[in-house]
């Protein structure tokens, strides 16, 4: 466990716990014992606004800049590096000073606006619709405080319907319970260390996912090629036999068994990003009529489902494996079941883009633009690269080990995010 998490979680008796009614936080560093001072944001701050930087003003070179929409989609509490630049004349812009606190002045929802960030360095252009708050307090602390304990207050002060606005006159009214600047600095430094760990874990997860994406394209032969770029050896260090190519219909059966007796009521859906999931969980409500499921296909565990709907994440529609219990799915989907072993191998193959070329070649583009229109025969003629069984096992083992590392990194990142969320609730009043 990293140092920041260990210091507050493993040895909680080192820290002072008191109720909020006593005007002290639930979780506190032991050297600080004084009550907090009650004030409003307007009493300790001066307010101003940024100046408009349109999308067309963003360039690959020039001055670092922050646009208001990026505040609630990209940045966390502390901003050092920016994702955008502008080549506008600096004399026509509002430039940040170190320790500026910035809060969106408009957004699509109140949740969008209810966020705050501290600009850690000077020289960054601040776009329009950004409230700039200058204070003698530690703005790193204020950013964490507002995001952790005061989000609801910020959202409550937002005004508007189609576009939500947040004016400085409302921000000035936000009540604060402030410790000394010295305590603010210690809290901010601790939470920034937690953020640093989150940043490292996020990068680790991203690198693992990018590595998997790249290596998978090399583990399966590209269309028109007989062998993949990367291959495994047998136990004697020799090459495995040449790969074959089999049509989907040769190694899998199309499943059209319908729920005629309404035996199953567990409705499934195929998500490009989440795989086969419960329809109720995915949509947060029942879409299918529970009294009319007799025309739905029965989908057993380890069956595969093709969803012809096109999306950014699935340009020819996703093919996913059902890892849940037996359920039913709309007949708009195509369900098939492999007669061969190595189910994990086939699942990995459908995570690549290798099979997309065939789908494009047989699709009827006169149909709906958001859905692939492919005949059953064309779909079942999809070519599947088919190596020796032992080489399939080698590929599967390698990818499964990689998946375990990715899962572990996601779990570690998730735990750290939960830890931070708890801190933001317990370290402030």
């Amino acid at each position: 466990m990293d140092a920041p998490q260990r210091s507050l979680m493993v040895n909680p008796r080192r820290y002072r716990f008191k109720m909020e009614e006593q005007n002290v936080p639930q979780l506190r560093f032991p050297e600080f014992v004084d009550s907090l001072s009650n004030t409003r944001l307007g009493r300790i701050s001066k307010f101003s606004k940024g100046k408009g930087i349109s999308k067309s003003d963003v360039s690959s070179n020039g001055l670092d800049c922050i646009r208001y929409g990026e505040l609630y989609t990209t940045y966390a509490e502390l901003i050092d590096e920016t994702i955008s630049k502008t080549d506008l004349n600096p004399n026509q812009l509002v430039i940040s000073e170190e320790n500026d606190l910035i809060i969106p002045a408009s957004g699509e929802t109140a949740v969008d606006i209810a966020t705050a960030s501290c600009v850690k360095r000077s020289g960054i252009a601040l776009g329009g619709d950004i409230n700039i708050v200058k204070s003698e307090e530690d703005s790193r602390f204020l950013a964490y405080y507002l995001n952790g304990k005061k989000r609801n207050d910020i959202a409550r002060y937002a005004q508007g319907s189609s576009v939500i606005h947040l004016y400085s006159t409302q921000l000035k009214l936000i009540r604060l319970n402030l410790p000394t600047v010295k305590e603010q600095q210690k809290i901010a430094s601790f939470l920034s260390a937690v953020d640093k760990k989150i940043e490292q874990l996020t990068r680790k997860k991203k690198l693992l996912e990018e590595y998997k994406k790249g290596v998978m394209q090399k583990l399966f032969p590209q269309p028109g090629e007989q062998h993949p770029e990367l291959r495994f050896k047998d136990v004697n260090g020799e090459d495995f036999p040449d790969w074959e190519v089999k049509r989907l219909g040769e190694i899998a059966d199309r499943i059209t068994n319908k729920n005629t007796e309404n035996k199953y009521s567990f409705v499934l859906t195929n998500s490009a990003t989440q795989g086969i999931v419960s329809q109720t969980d995915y949509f947060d409500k029942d879409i299918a009529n529970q009294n009319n499921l007799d025309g739905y296909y029965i989908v057993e565990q380890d069956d595969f489902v093709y969803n012809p709907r096109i999306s950014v994440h699935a340009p020819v529609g996703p093919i996913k494996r059902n890892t849940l219990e037996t359920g039913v799915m709309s007949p708009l989907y195509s369900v098939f079941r492999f007669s061969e072993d190595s189910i994990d191998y086939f699942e990995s193959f459908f995570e690549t883009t290798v099979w997309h070329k065939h789908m494009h070649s047989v699709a009827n583009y006169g149909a709906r633009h958001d859905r692939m229109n492919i005949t059953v025969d064309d779909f079942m003629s999809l070519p599947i690269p088919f190596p020796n069984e032992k080489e399939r096992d080698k590929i599967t083992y390698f990818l499964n080990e990689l998946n375990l590392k990715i899962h572990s990194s996601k779990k570690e990142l998730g735990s750290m995010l939960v830890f931070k969320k708890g801190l933001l609730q317990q370290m402030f009043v």
Side-chain angles (χ1 to χ4, degrees), residues 347-388:
E347 182 178 22
S348 296
F349 171 71
F350 290 122
E351 289 184 35
T352 73
T353 60
V354 173
W355 56 281
H356 290 190
K357 184 176 181 179
H358 170 82
M359 304 296 281
H360 283 301
S361 69
V362 298
N364 176 4
Y365 287 99
R368 289 174 51 179
H369 70 279
D370 64 339
R371 190 179 296 274
M372 297 289 284
N373 186 24
I374 299 175
T375 67
V376 172
D377 288 343
D378 284 337
F379 178 72
M380 297 305 289
S381 70
L382 174 65
I384 307 290
F386 200 75
N388 171 277

Side-chain angles (χ1 to χ4, degrees), residues 49-54 57 62-66 85-96 123-128 132:
K49 293 284 290 293
K51 194 167 184 179
I53 302 174
S54 67
D57 295 328
L63 190 68
D64 287 348
C65 69
I66 298 171
K85 294 179 181 293
T86 181
D87 54 11
L88 291 174
N89 188 336
N91 294 327
Q92 300 174 340
L93 299 169
V94 175
I95 307 300
S96 72
I124 298 175
L126 303 178
I132 305 170

Side-chain angles (χ1 to χ4, degrees), residues 38 47 65 74 155 223 283 301 353 427:
N38 185 274
F47 295 80
C65 69
T74 303
F283 293 104
Q301 191 177 67
T353 60
M427 297 187 77

Side-chain angles (χ1 to χ4, degrees), residues 44-107:
I44 60 168
S45 308
K46 293 182 179 180
F47 295 80
S48 60
K49 293 284 290 293
K51 194 167 184 179
I53 302 174
S54 67
K55 187 175 181 180
S56 62
D57 295 328
V58 174
S59 63
S60 57
N61 297 300
L63 190 68
D64 287 348
C65 69
I66 298 171
R67 302 174 67 233
Y68 83 94
E70 298 167 352
L71 282 179
Y72 50 82
T73 59
T74 303
Y75 297 116
E77 287 86 359
L78 305 182
I79 302 177
D80 191 5
E81 301 298 326
T82 68
I83 63 168
S84 299
K85 294 179 181 293
T86 181
D87 54 11
L88 291 174
N89 188 336
N91 294 327
Q92 300 174 340
L93 299 169
V94 175
I95 307 300
S96 72
E97 295 179 344
E98 183 180 355
N99 212 38
D100 277 350
L101 182 73
I102 55 177
I103 300 171
S106 65

Side-chain angles (χ1 to χ4, degrees), residues 199-212:
E199 180 183 339
Q200 293 170 348
L201 291 173
T202 301
R203 178 168 175 76
K204 176 183 176 182
K205 170 181 166 290
K206 183 178 180 180
L207 288 174
L208 282 170
E209 290 173 338
E210 288 177 348
Y211 173 71
K212 178 186 174 183

Side-chain angles (χ1 to χ4, degrees), residues 28 32 34-36 137 178-185:
R28 198 176 193 187
F32 302 105
D34 294 336
S35 295
L36 311 186
E137 308 295 325
L178 298 178
T180 63
V181 172
K182 186 176 180 180
E183 186 173 358
Q184 291 177 32
Q185 292 170 342

